[in-house]
Amino acid sequence: MRKNDISYRPLRNLILSEFMPWLLSGRVITMGLFMLATGFLTVTGYTRGLRLNRYEMNYFESISWFLMTGMGSISLSSLAFLVMIAELPMKTNYSGYMLLRTSKTKWAVSLILQCLFTVVVTLIVLLVVVSIFLLPHVSSGNEWNDTLRISSGMPEELAYIPSWIRASLTPIRASILSVLPVFCFWFVMSLTILICSLLRVPAIGLGLYSVILFSGLIFVFENFPGVVSPMTFSTLARITAEYQTDPYSRLSTVLIGYAILITGQIICVFFIVKHTDAANILTSGG
Amino acid sequence: MYETDIRALLCSKRTLLSLLLMLIAFSGYALCDWILVYDWDASFRPSALQQTIGGIFFGGVMLMLPLCAAMSPSLMQIEEKPSGLMDIRVIRIGILRYSGLKLLSAFVTGACVMSTAFAIHSVIWNVIATPCDPLANDYLAIPFDENCIYAAWQPICYSLPIYLWMCAAIALCGGIWAMVGTTCSLFVSDRLLAVAMPFCLYYLWHSGLPGAITGIWGLPHPADLFNDALTTDTAISSVIIYGVIAFVCCLLHYAVLRRLYAKK
């Protein structure tokens, strides 16, 4: 047996033992289906628009648009994701036994990796299913169809993708760039829920994010230029909406902000796990 | 027993919370709008009617409605299952009466929460803003479509018929969504999911899922009954659809309970 097998096996077992029950829980299945249904509706509306206007869009252009606009509605997608992760850290009847058999550090690492996997798996499943819905309606190629239409007389305002992206990125790179803010927003959300659960106040994390997500639907933050809703940092379109002249510096600032926030949250998780009694850790959670 | 159940639901803290949430949903948009126009000349500020219905047309009321309406009855139904209270009640009054009791109390609670929130919201804005009188000031008139039933009601008694219609329509929708929530909570044992399910169903209908699946795009929108483009035909079709939903809820609620107790 190699040395790596010995050191990584407990970590792998910890992740799998808590990740699989999460994946098969009622909340994840129900909210996953809801997200897929909203994805289907967004794609249906998008392809109807393309058909009516006799526009062509290729696959990566469409995926960029889908992610950039927050999968139809970022508030509702995030709300569904919030319900999915509300139980983090997932508890099984053998969690206590596994925690006693391994170290707190490994358990903390497994919790952070679980948060990461929940975000990655949700995004991958969503993108795969949306791709299945999209593929019959999109054209092949890797050029910007919006640019071609604008050069033949279409007004710039009707373009699906902003000009600064079309001018400097390929559709594949734009897709990768569009997924980053959604990933960061959801990862911060899942780490917040995890931290609140570890602190034995899961309702605070859930309540905080419910307020953030619903306030975007209820209040008109655009009326107050000084007030910035956290939802402003949820999608590429929102982040760069008022920074069209210098979007890259704005985007890099936001991504650096996310990196600092995520690092701080990870340190927090380690600190809480290290300084909490194992019995308390096992009784915490959503 | 009906009165006890309805009273227990109406006086619960959750009902109060959902009423508060709904009031915030109604007033959130109007408040943001009012702060923006506060220093304008009084005659150019939006009317009380515009402020009252602004949150419905442009804010988050449509989406908050199923969540707030279903919150209290769904959670009560879900808590009755493991506590054994459901078994005792079914033994005492039978499945049919129990089902009727739960759905009726849910309907009354949902309707009361929604109509009370709307009534408080409209009274507040009629005190703060200028009541709508298009005959005295043209600027205050909302340009409803001529086929819209609100167009003829706007000049009558500071638009009182519009407020009354909307209050009744919101109460009906709230009541039916509370029934949907109660029925959904029989299928799951998770409290968060029980509250989220009516919201998800509402949103999928709102986004056109029935049309996307069946190809029939003429179905009414779930908020058509109190929306700004309301015509007589839309009102009739919306009431029929909501009637069908209520009937399906009754059937499903009874069928699930029967199945549950047939096994016991």
Side-chain angles (χ1 to χ4, degrees), chain A residues 26-27 30-31 34 37-38 40-41 44 48 72-73 76 79 82-83 86-87 206 214 217-221 223-224, chain B residues 24-25 28-29 32-33 35-36 59-60 63-64 67 190 192-193 196-197 199-200 203-204 207-209 212-213 217:
Chain A
R27 283 184 190 180
T30 313
M31 287 299 128
F34 172 68
T38 51
F40 167 70
L41 288 170
T44 307
R48 272 180 85 196
S73 165
L76 289 160
L79 210 58
L82 180 65
V83 176
E87 270 182 317
L206 206 59
F214 276 114
L217 299 170
I218 294 169
F219 298 104
V220 191
F221 288 107
N223 285 1
F224 312 103
Chain B
I24 293 170
Y29 178 86
C32 292
D33 202 30
I35 292 169
L36 199 70
L63 290 173
M64 289 294 282
L67 195 76
D190 185 332
L192 190 59
L193 212 51
M197 273 172 82
F199 176 80
C200 294
Y203 182 74
L204 292 176
S207 308
L209 188 69
I213 291 173
W217 292 96

Side-chain angles (χ1 to χ4, degrees), chain B residues 4-217:
Chain B
T4 319
D5 210 67
I6 291 169
R7 203 180 301 126
L9 262 177
L10 284 178
C11 300
S12 71
K13 282 179 187 166
R14 285 183 197 130
T15 305
L16 201 65
L17 177 71
S18 48
L19 177 70
L20 191 70
L21 282 175
M22 206 58 217
L23 202 56
I24 293 170
F26 273 121
S27 295
Y29 178 86
L31 200 65
C32 292
D33 202 30
W34 192 252
I35 292 169
L36 199 70
V37 300
Y38 184 70
D39 51 354
W40 290 13
D41 187 273
S43 54
F44 291 105
R45 283 187 209 150
S47 71
L49 181 67
Q50 281 170 309
Q51 289 299 95
T52 305
I53 61 181
I56 300 171
F57 300 164
F58 311 111
V61 171
M62 289 185 197
L63 290 173
M64 289 294 282
L65 186 142
L67 195 76
C68 293
M71 189 192 287
S72 188
S74 306
L75 291 177
M76 194 178 188
Q77 173 75 79
I78 224 158
E79 280 163 5
E80 275 192 11
K81 272 195 285 181
S83 70
L85 193 62
M86 191 163 96
D87 297 345
I88 296 167
R89 286 180 148 191
V90 167
I91 291 165
R92 274 187 68 191
I93 60 173
I95 294 173
L96 187 64
R97 280 191 67 196
Y98 176 78
S99 188
L101 165 79
K102 292 314 290 179
L103 291 173
L104 182 73
S105 53
F107 181 86
V108 172
T109 311
C112 282
V113 167
M114 290 302 125
S115 54
T116 310
F118 180 79
I120 295 172
H121 166 68
S122 49
V123 168
I124 289 172
W125 284 105
N126 270 281
V127 171
I128 297 173
T130 315
C132 179
D133 187 4
L135 299 176
N137 184 356
D138 265 0
Y139 185 78
L140 296 178
I142 299 176
F144 288 116
D145 186 83
E146 59 180 23
N147 294 323
C148 177
I149 61 168
Y150 300 143
W153 295 347
Q154 202 172 190
I156 305 169
C157 196
Y158 298 107
S159 311
L160 184 66
I162 300 181
Y163 290 112
L164 293 177
W165 172 275
M166 281 198 166
C167 194
I170 286 171
L172 176 74
C173 294
I176 305 273
W177 282 105
M179 286 169 73
V180 173
T182 308
T183 310
C184 286
S185 58
L186 278 182
F187 290 90
V188 290
S189 53
D190 185 332
R191 290 147 59 102
L192 190 59
L193 212 51
V195 175
M197 273 172 82
F199 176 80
C200 294
L201 291 173
Y202 180 94
Y203 182 74
L204 292 176
W205 178 13
H206 168 96
S207 308
L209 188 69
I213 291 173
T214 60
I216 305 163
W217 292 96

Side-chain angles (χ1 to χ4, degrees), chain A residues 80-97:
Chain A
F81 184 67
L82 180 65
V83 176
M84 285 162 81
I85 58 165
E87 270 182 317
L88 283 176
M90 196 76 189
K91 291 286 185 302
T92 55
N93 48 8
Y94 41 85
S95 295
Y97 177 71

